[in-house]
Amino acid sequence: MKLTDTLVQCLENEGVEYIFGIVGTETLDLAESLSKSTKIQYVNVRHEQGAAFMADVYGRLSKKAGVCLSTLGPGAANLVTGIASAQLDHSPLVALIGQAGIERQHGESHQYMDIVKLLEPATKWSTQILDSQTVPTVIRKAFRLALMEKPGSVAITLPENFAAQPIANTPIPITPTPVTVPDAESLNAAKELIQKYTKPFIIIGNGLIRQEAVQELITFIDRLQSPATHSFMAKGILPPEHQQNFFTFGFKENDAVLAGINEADLLIVIGFDFVEQLPNAWNKNKLPVLHIDPLPAEVNEYYPVQCELVGNIKKTLEALNQAELTVKSWLPSGDLQAQIKTTYQINENQKESLNIENVVHLIEKFSPENTIVISDVGAHKVSIAKTYQPKEPNRLIVSNGLATMGIAIPGSIGAKLACTNDPVICITGDGGALMNFAELETAKRLGLSFTIIILDDSMLKLEVKQMNNKFGNTYGVTFENPDFVQLAQSFGVKGIRPNTLAELETILKEPQQEIVLIDLVTQSPG
């Protein structure tokens, strides 16, 4: 059996269902081996960046490592953005990359570059196969690392000369990752710390969703009765009407929740990744911190940890919930919840305009609870993070750590393959849409059904706002768009251009039976 046949067996052993990628000369043997697999579907895409984005979102939603594939040189370079995005958002991803044979790696050679070094800053582990017999070990280590807290990206480079070599080794059995829980001494210290202060404020990050600890968190909040806020990535963990829900924080401007955090005397920080926002933006007063996370705290003067509970968040909160904690019921002054709802436009806007706030209110009103919304990056992402209230956790997907435009359309493919029965709505600006628009053909070929909403204003709206604020004018941030309805139709996709909220409402009420692209023409730069 040749090496790539064994590699495919190893991938099957890891439970891989899909591989997203583009085949090149150096990966022909791997493609031939994949063609014989009855467990893995190879999805040939239109650009490697799209493949990495699909793997990223698939990994976030499936709780498995998403897998992407490219050849050497430009193929590998095209993967970098998506690999880095998954790494910073802690999404499990494994990249398989063809490479020039070992004999070509000692000097200048066509399309050759050191892929391992290129990807080291963007991954948890970047490696090259140097011995064909090590393939099962490398694959097992790669998937284990990608999925361990904090999850992230792993890259494996396969030199072409090894691909057809015979190998007798077989896949390594999968063993469960141990679940750790803080010791009794740490739990007692945490309890004493909470008892010591009168105004704790709970800050929740994406790690809580990754560790499936939502119900345990709600129990903890209900028992403590202290206010709570969450990052972009953790939206949906609390019902909008929950008494302690002070909604989202992490904005560069008009972060209304900070007024409440500033009144606290202790911050209970649960599963929060610094990549979501550095503490110097939300803990300027250097309030003491109770750190609850699978990993020890990162040292930071604005993150003065008084106690750490390091271990599985679900098990940690279960243990805390069994302790006799004193109720710490308090609310920030000035009816802050009402102020946040007004500032973030959480309540329905009565103005009949096709703005992003009204769009997400329609989605909230008419979409099933399991609807997945994927937001591209731009001004609309900030509005969605403030206004949109998903009905369940992990139902809003954004590129937050790297904040890269172009994720939404390919990400919708990954979402739909991970969650076949869940409606998917992609919201993207016209800038991000055209970066990976070609993946519409991939989605159509796969027979998927989801909705794409394009905010069509012929500008990079966030940069327009920032330049106007800074300089009083703009430069280099406007452009002309194609007719998105006709462009969609050229892909065999239904394109619609509603002119009113009522027309958009009618479209959103329809069950998803095909890909529908909605072109929302908004303010033009003029």
Side-chain angles (χ1 to χ4, degrees), residues 271-494:
F272 185 81
D273 305 320
F274 278 10
V275 74
E276 298 185 73
Q277 194 182 59
L278 288 171
N280 62 356
W282 47 267
N283 193 15
K284 294 185 184 299
N285 295 334
K286 301 181 182 180
L287 300 172
V289 169
L290 168 57
H291 174 84
I292 302 176
D293 196 77
L295 297 181
E298 185 176 340
V299 176
N300 190 303
E301 66 174 302
Y302 291 94
Y303 199 70
V305 174
Q306 299 292 303
C307 179
E308 296 185 67
L309 294 181
V310 178
N312 179 273
I313 295 175
K314 185 182 184 78
K315 296 293 184 182
T316 301
L317 289 176
E318 284 177 353
L320 274 180
N321 289 337
Q322 292 172 3
E324 295 181 2
L325 295 175
T326 304
V327 172
K328 301 289 180 175
S329 179
W330 74 282
L331 291 173
S333 60
D335 198 359
L336 184 61
Q337 278 180 321
Q339 292 179 39
I340 292 171
K341 287 180 180 180
T342 300
T343 303
Y344 293 176
Q345 300 184 50
I346 290 172
N347 296 324
E348 287 194 48
N349 189 345
Q350 299 303 313
K351 295 181 180 178
E352 292 294 319
S353 62
L354 287 170
N355 59 34
I356 185 60
E357 291 78 17
N358 281 339
V359 170
V360 297
H361 285 315
L362 287 180
I363 292 171
E364 288 173 12
K365 191 172 183 178
F366 297 110
S367 297
E369 290 188 357
N370 60 337
T371 297
I372 299 167
V373 172
I374 300 183
S375 172
D376 217 305
V377 173
H380 62 279
K381 186 188 93 168
V382 178
S383 297
I384 291 170
K386 288 181 176 179
T387 305
Y388 183 54
Q389 301 301 313
K391 301 177 179 72
E392 296 179 359
N394 214 23
R395 300 287 96 178
L396 174 64
I397 302 295
V398 297
S399 174
N400 197 38
L402 194 64
T404 176
M405 293 171 66
I407 192 174
I409 291 177
S412 297
I413 295 173
K416 198 64 186 178
L417 293 176
C419 304
T420 308
N421 297 321
D422 296 344
V424 174
I425 298 177
C426 159
I427 304 178
T428 178
D430 41 14
L434 285 178
M435 289 183 175
N436 282 303
F437 200 88
E439 301 306 344
L440 207 56
E441 187 278 326
T442 307
K444 179 70 176 177
R445 177 171 17 100
L446 291 171
L448 303 180
S449 301
F450 57 88
T451 301
I452 302 170
I453 299 174
I454 296 181
L455 305 171
D456 185 353
D457 58 11
S458 299
M459 68 173 88
L460 299 175
K461 190 171 183 178
L462 184 60
E463 285 68 28
V464 166
K465 177 183 176 182
Q466 290 172 338
M467 291 189 79
N468 272 323
N469 288 342
K470 190 170 185 177
F471 307 114
N473 53 46
T474 65
Y475 179 79
V477 288
T478 61
F479 39 74
E480 294 182 5
N481 283 325
D483 185 316
F484 282 109
V485 170
Q486 291 187 19
L487 187 58
Q489 291 170 351
S490 73
F491 282 85
V493 168
K494 183 177 182 181

Side-chain angles (χ1 to χ4, degrees), residues 201 203 229 246-264 267 277-285 287 330 332 336 340 344:
F201 207 112
I203 293 177
T229 184
F246 281 75
F247 306 99
T248 318
F249 84 106
F251 307 101
K252 291 183 178 179
E253 298 176 354
N254 301 322
D255 202 336
V257 186
L258 294 184
I261 293 176
N262 289 337
E263 287 188 48
L267 301 183
Q277 194 182 59
L278 288 171
N280 62 356
W282 47 267
N283 193 15
K284 294 185 184 299
N285 295 334
L287 300 172
W330 74 282
L336 184 61
I340 292 171
Y344 293 176

Side-chain angles (χ1 to χ4, degrees), residues 73-179:
N78 285 342
L79 283 178
V80 173
T81 300
I83 289 174
S85 181
Q87 173 71 2
L88 290 183
D89 281 336
H90 300 300
S91 176
L93 178 149
V94 174
L96 304 172
I97 304 169
Q99 178 59 294
I102 293 292
E103 74 282 357
R104 287 210 284 129
Q105 295 186 22
H106 302 292
E108 186 176 60
S109 184
H110 179 65
Q111 287 194 312
Y112 171 73
M113 60 180 179
D114 191 331
I115 298 169
V116 172
K117 286 185 178 179
L118 173 71
L119 291 174
E120 279 178 353
T123 57
K124 293 179 76 174
W125 185 44
S126 179
T127 191
Q128 176 170 281
I129 301 293
L130 295 174
D131 180 348
S132 58
Q133 305 304 313
T134 63
V135 164
T137 300
V138 171
I139 295 296
R140 179 78 279 267
K141 178 179 177 180
F143 278 81
R144 186 175 173 88
L145 274 177
L147 288 161
M148 284 173 60
E149 282 290 338
K150 298 182 179 181
S153 298
V154 172
I156 303 170
T157 302
L158 175 63
E160 182 184 13
N161 61 292
F162 288 140
Q165 284 188 2
I167 175 173
N169 293 5
T170 57
I172 294 176
I174 298 173
T175 55
T177 303
V179 175

Side-chain angles (χ1 to χ4, degrees), residues 176-198:
T177 303
V179 175
T180 60
V181 182
D183 58 27
E185 184 179 350
S186 297
L187 287 166
N188 285 333
K191 177 182 174 181
E192 290 174 4
L193 185 68
I194 294 172
Q195 305 285 66
K196 178 180 176 181
Y197 292 94
T198 58

